[in-house]
Amino acid sequence: MNVLFFLTPKSQIKYVDSSMSIRQVLEVVEHYRFTTIPLLSNDGKFIGTITEGDLLFYIKDHPFKNIAEFNNINIMQVKRYRDYLPINSNHDMVDLITTAVNENFVPVLDDLGYFIGIVTRKSIINYLFLETKKQAM
C-alpha cells in the first residue's frame, strides 16, 4: 500500500510558516485547537513542528505585559522541543506506521523536501480496523 493513499493534502490542512509572528501562530493554534502544527518555510519546505508546549515555554521564559508584544517576535525564535519526523512520499507502510506510533500525524514530503501533506494516525487506525473487520467476515 502506498503512503499517498492515506495523505491529507497540504491544501486541506492548516500549517504555519516561518514568517509568522508568535501572536499569529498562537491565534491559529487557539482557533483550531491544535496541540501540534506543521511549520513550513516561505517556499513550502518542511522545517518542523510547533507545539503548544513550545509556545508556553517561550511565554514562560519571556514575561510580557500584553499579548501585542508578541506581534513583532518571529516564530523562528521559539525553541522547538521535538519535531515530528517526516517521511518521504515513496516510503513504505512499515515506515509510516513506525513513525505514526509516536506522533498524531506524520508529515509527508516530496523528493525535494517540500511539504505535501500529512497522514493522521487516525486514518491509519481506521484503515486497519476496516481491513481487520473484512477479514473477520
Side-chain angles (χ1 to χ4, degrees):
M1 170 102 14
N2 190 311
V3 167
L4 296 177
F5 175 79
F6 298 98
L7 186 76
T8 302
K10 177 181 174 183
S11 63
Q12 295 179 15
I13 63 167
K14 299 298 177 208
Y15 54 88
V16 295
D17 71 64
S18 60
S19 68
M20 296 174 84
S21 70
I22 292 175
R23 171 79 183 264
Q24 290 170 313
V25 173
L26 283 167
E27 289 176 0
V28 171
V29 168
E30 177 187 24
H31 180 77
Y32 292 101
R33 298 287 189 215
F34 291 143
T35 57
T36 305
I37 191 165
L39 173 64
L40 309 182
S41 65
N42 291 334
D43 65 352
K45 289 198 174 186
F46 182 74
I47 295 172
T49 49
I50 292 287
T51 68
E52 284 180 320
D54 297 335
L55 295 166
L56 289 171
F57 285 119
Y58 184 89
I59 292 168
K60 178 187 82 72
D61 294 339
H62 299 84
F64 62 97
K65 293 179 184 153
N66 64 58
I67 192 77
E69 293 179 26
F70 288 118
N71 286 332
N72 299 320
I73 302 172
N74 183 272
I75 193 61
M76 295 304 290
Q77 293 182 18
V78 173
K79 181 180 177 190
R80 296 186 317 275
Y81 173 70
R82 179 181 74 86
D83 288 319
Y84 280 16
L85 299 174
I87 63 170
N88 189 282
S89 59
N90 61 13
H91 276 99
D92 62 19
M93 287 300 295
V94 172
D95 293 332
L96 177 63
I97 292 170
T98 302
T99 305
V101 165
N102 296 315
E103 303 171 355
N104 293 329
F105 64 86
V106 178
V108 181
L109 313 180
D110 68 10
D111 291 338
L112 299 175
Y114 288 96
F115 178 78
I116 60 172
I118 64 171
V119 174
T120 63
R121 186 168 44 197
K122 179 181 177 180
S123 68
I124 298 168
I125 292 170
N126 282 337
Y127 171 79
L128 294 173
F129 171 75
L130 292 173
E131 287 299 307
T132 303
K133 194 173 175 179
K134 281 183 202 173
Q135 291 176 7
M137 296 180 138

